[in-house]
Amino acid sequence: MLSLKTKRNVARVIPFGVLWFIFSLLYCLLEKGILGQLDHYPKTGVAYNFVRNTVTIPAAGLMMGMLTGVLEIGYFSRWFIKKSFTRKIVVKSLLYLIIVSAFLITLVLINALTMPEEHSFKNLSSPAWAFFTDYAAVIGIMVYMASIVVIAQFYAEISDTIGPGTLRNFFLGKYHHPVEEERIFMFLDMKASTTIAENLGHVKYFDLLKDYFFDLSVAVIDYGGTIYQYAGDEMIVCWTLNEGLKNNNSIECFFAMKRALERQAETYSSKFGILPGFKAGLHFGLVTAGEIGSLKKEIIFTGDVLNTAARIQGLCNQFEAELLVSEDLAKRLQLPATYTLKSVGQNLLKGRRKPMELFAISTSILSGQSRKPSSL
């Protein structure tokens, strides 16, 4: 069974293949319009078959797209994570063009092998050489492929900027009209952030936030969550109800975040002189999701569950707890014996008419010990 992280990565790779497939199909149609009724390429003499090309070229484009998607999601996105938007687009596009060029050369040589003449080195190299010495052919194809690479890069960067799945939801119009969903929300807040900011200064504190949110995000991906918003030093994470309850993903995510920071303790101490900590509150309920905005569109969630989760998080200091959950969520959880669920009593949260019982969750898992999602 695939892990949540693997499923998400596969979903992120597929659009690269789709983009390359669509643009490769468009290329075949443009090529047909240019060549008309010709049965060969004028410069190279290689046979031209529209039906064959509309199968092989899009198939090759799909493979190339999937390859670039794997490279992007598996390697390049991590290598260039701290580079500026423009630098990432330029450098990664150049790398992809080198890879694509090598792929193109291979295809041309393979195509030369299909010629009916004897497969001597001369017969093999002559059509390929004729193609690569044809200024119009090479420049035209390279510009076309460069356009695909750049568009794919913009897609990847914009998707990462607004959040995985959000761009797809905009395209599909999932939230064009308001939709009601049951979701779990976790409001996570850095401990003593004001003091830390005063000690570090605003610029260095911002660098701390970048590293801090980056390290926490890995756990969100591993446990199937979505980062809904950042608000200063606060992160808001959400799950659909079923996904958040499955294997206790919403709870496991919190403790995975703690372990992620603990593993980077030396790095934080050397760079900032402190290891940041955090506290969180969780609640679930019905929300309305939909697109809003004109100059800037955004998919937002509205509902009492968000305010309640925020209020619960605000009580962590009062009860000296790192993780508090609502009574409603606690009843739905099926925690293993390694977790302790302790009531902190009934509390009347601001904005609510009736008091709500809250529970603190702790774990006996040793600090720093790795614990993988049970769905792996």
Side-chain angles (χ1 to χ4, degrees), residues 195-249:
T195 302
I196 294 173
E198 289 177 351
N199 293 335
L200 294 179
H202 294 296
V203 175
K204 199 163 186 178
Y205 175 65
F206 190 83
D207 287 337
L208 170 68
L209 283 180
K210 288 177 66 177
D211 290 349
Y212 169 76
F213 284 135
F214 176 79
D215 291 330
L216 297 186
S217 298
V218 175
V220 177
I221 294 173
D222 288 346
Y223 290 89
T226 299
I227 298 175
Y228 172 46
Q229 284 181 349
Y230 296 106
D233 59 273
E234 186 174 69
M235 175 192 284
I236 305 174
V237 185
C238 66
W239 293 261
T240 60
L241 179 59
N242 290 337
E243 203 63 70
L245 291 176
K246 184 180 179 182
N247 301 316
N248 299 305
N249 283 324

Side-chain angles (χ1 to χ4, degrees), residues 168-353:
R168 182 176 65 251
N169 289 333
F170 273 123
F171 279 129
L172 298 178
K174 181 178 180 180
Y175 296 110
H176 184 68
H177 298 289
V179 177
E180 286 191 326
E181 299 177 340
E182 277 194 304
R183 284 183 173 264
I184 297 174
F185 282 86
M186 175 168 67
F187 277 67
L188 186 143
D189 185 56
M190 183 186 291
K191 294 180 180 179
S193 58
T194 302
T195 302
I196 294 173
E198 289 177 351
N199 293 335
L200 294 179
H202 294 296
V203 175
K204 199 163 186 178
Y205 175 65
F206 190 83
D207 287 337
L208 170 68
L209 283 180
K210 288 177 66 177
D211 290 349
Y212 169 76
F213 284 135
F214 176 79
D215 291 330
L216 297 186
S217 298
V218 175
V220 177
I221 294 173
D222 288 346
Y223 290 89
T226 299
I227 298 175
Y228 172 46
Q229 284 181 349
Y230 296 106
D233 59 273
E234 186 174 69
M235 175 192 284
I236 305 174
V237 185
C238 66
W239 293 261
T240 60
L241 179 59
N242 290 337
E243 203 63 70
L245 291 176
K246 184 180 179 182
N247 301 316
N248 299 305
N249 283 324
S250 56
I251 304 301
E252 296 280 6
C253 179
F254 174 85
F255 292 101
M257 288 175 167
K258 287 191 63 178
R259 294 192 295 272
L261 289 187
E262 289 171 359
R263 286 193 294 268
Q264 300 296 325
E266 291 186 9
T267 302
Y268 280 98
S269 295
S270 62
K271 289 178 66 175
F272 309 108
I274 188 173
L275 176 64
F278 54 85
K279 53 191 183 296
L282 284 93
H283 182 48
F284 88 91
L286 195 66
V287 295
T288 301
E291 294 180 21
I292 64 165
S294 177
L295 293 177
K296 179 182 182 296
K297 285 187 176 294
E298 188 174 355
I299 295 174
I300 69 163
F301 298 101
T302 60
D304 178 66
V305 58
L306 285 93
N307 292 328
T308 301
R311 304 286 187 238
I312 293 173
Q313 184 274 127
L315 292 175
C316 285
N317 287 342
Q318 177 179 328
F319 295 109
E320 298 181 347
E322 291 188 323
L323 178 61
L324 288 176
V325 302
S326 65
E327 177 184 5
D328 296 339
L329 180 57
K331 289 178 179 178
R332 302 293 292 270
L333 295 172
Q334 294 182 345
L335 297 173
T338 52
Y339 287 94
T340 300
L341 193 67
K342 178 183 177 182
S343 174
V344 296
Q346 297 281 341
N347 291 267
L348 184 60
L349 303 177
K350 185 178 179 181
R352 294 181 66 91
R353 295 180 180 178

Side-chain angles (χ1 to χ4, degrees), residues 93-114:
S93 294
L94 289 174
L95 289 173
Y96 283 129
L97 280 176
I98 294 172
I99 296 170
V100 170
S101 297
F103 187 73
L104 181 61
I105 292 171
T106 303
L107 285 181
V108 171
L109 292 175
I110 291 174
N111 190 51
L113 281 171
T114 65

